Amino acid sequence: MKVRFAAEAFALALVFFTTGLEIALVAGAVLVAGTVLGDTLAEAAGKTAAAAIAFIGTGALLCLALVWTGFGSDFYLGACMVGMLVGKHVYDGVEGASTGEILKQNYIALAVMAVIAVCRELLSKGALFGYGIGSFSVISNAYSGTAFGLIFGGLGIAAVYALLKKENGADSLWIAVPVAVMMTAASFGSDIMPVVKAAVAAAIAVVLLVGIRKKMIFSRPGKYFAGLSVEMISLGFLTMMLSVIG
């Protein structure tokens, strides 16, 4: 059984769109719809056309979801990046999958995304769907930040692969670069061109990821954590340390 869910897209969505259960469910549903539609169209319309439809459709619907949920316009770029990764998944996909198998794997990924969102919203706000549940001693806004997004995202993707009983074969570079672009863009002045900001952020992400991979050569994290999951968790802790130093 091949992996039929857009692993990189879901991983990036776990970082950006799990700070609240509402946005997580909406964004997750859009991801499932985009992936299933793209994989279904791939055989009829060809991979290139299907990937383009999945990219544009998923990105546009995620932007609408951000507007509907009041999440904010700061993540429009992130929504487009997630859409791009859905398109990449469709283009790289293996033909011959049944719709039932595609739906099953994507529903599992959506369920894990919802669980992660519940944890992050409770830990950061003590609420669900925006309604306060209680006050806990562990509540902190840090849980809604990028560092914990990467950590929870890595754990979430590992959980999906474990439930599917598949080895983790996704590439964390597709997560590190978009996250770095989103983080770095806010720290530069408006006089620097967006292309320059994106290039600097991408270079920083690549350097950090190469360093992490060199350190992980002799580690044995297990087949569900190997690759994308452990590298996302490592990037999360590194981001946390850099934010403290900064």
Side-chain angles (χ1 to χ4, degrees):
M1 180 179 67
K2 302 291 184 180
V3 173
R4 304 295 185 181
F5 76 103
E8 288 99 346
F10 265 102
L12 192 57
L14 284 170
V15 178
F16 291 154
F17 305 130
T18 55
T19 54
L21 183 56
E22 182 181 17
I23 184 61
L25 291 174
V26 175
V30 171
L31 276 177
V32 172
T35 303
V36 173
L37 177 63
D39 284 341
T40 303
L41 289 176
E43 296 185 10
K47 287 187 176 182
T48 302
I53 293 171
F55 167 32
I56 296 171
T58 304
L61 287 175
L62 281 175
C63 288
L64 288 175
L66 292 175
V67 174
W68 181 59
T69 57
F71 199 70
S73 59
D74 293 341
F75 284 88
Y76 286 164
L77 179 59
C80 293
M81 291 175 177
V82 172
M84 178 193 70
L85 291 178
V86 173
K88 173 186 175 296
H89 162 79
V90 173
Y91 187 80
D92 294 340
V94 181
E95 297 180 358
S98 66
T99 303
E101 186 58 42
I102 295 172
L103 284 170
K104 174 187 173 183
Q105 294 197 16
N106 278 276
Y107 285 153
I108 289 175
L110 176 57
V112 171
M113 187 172 178
V115 171
I116 295 295
V118 169
C119 293
R120 293 187 72 189
E121 189 172 7
L122 283 175
L123 289 171
S124 63
K125 304 171 185 175
L128 282 178
F129 287 109
Y131 296 99
I133 292 179
S135 179
F136 313 104
S137 59
V138 295
I139 290 178
S140 170
N141 287 330
Y143 291 108
S144 63
T146 303
F148 276 101
L150 286 164
I151 294 170
F152 277 107
L155 294 172
I157 287 297
V160 175
Y161 276 101
L163 290 170
L164 295 176
K165 293 181 171 53
K166 288 292 169 185
E167 292 188 14
N168 197 330
D171 190 352
S172 58
L173 188 63
W174 293 103
I175 314 305
V177 171
V179 169
V181 169
M182 292 289 292
M183 291 182 64
T184 312
S187 64
F188 283 97
S190 59
D191 57 329
I192 300 179
M193 294 185 300
V195 175
V196 176
K197 290 190 284 187
V200 172
I204 293 171
V206 171
V207 170
L208 291 176
L209 190 57
V210 169
I212 289 173
R213 286 179 174 176
K214 285 186 176 181
K215 295 294 183 182
M216 298 298 296
I217 289 177
F218 301 105
S219 66
R220 295 292 184 270
K223 64 179 181 179
Y224 303 134
F225 278 93
L228 176 61
S229 295
V230 72
E231 288 171 8
M232 283 183 68
I233 294 171
S234 299
L235 282 171
F237 282 113
L238 183 58
T239 301
M240 194 184 302
M241 290 186 289
L242 291 175
S243 65
V244 171
I245 294 173

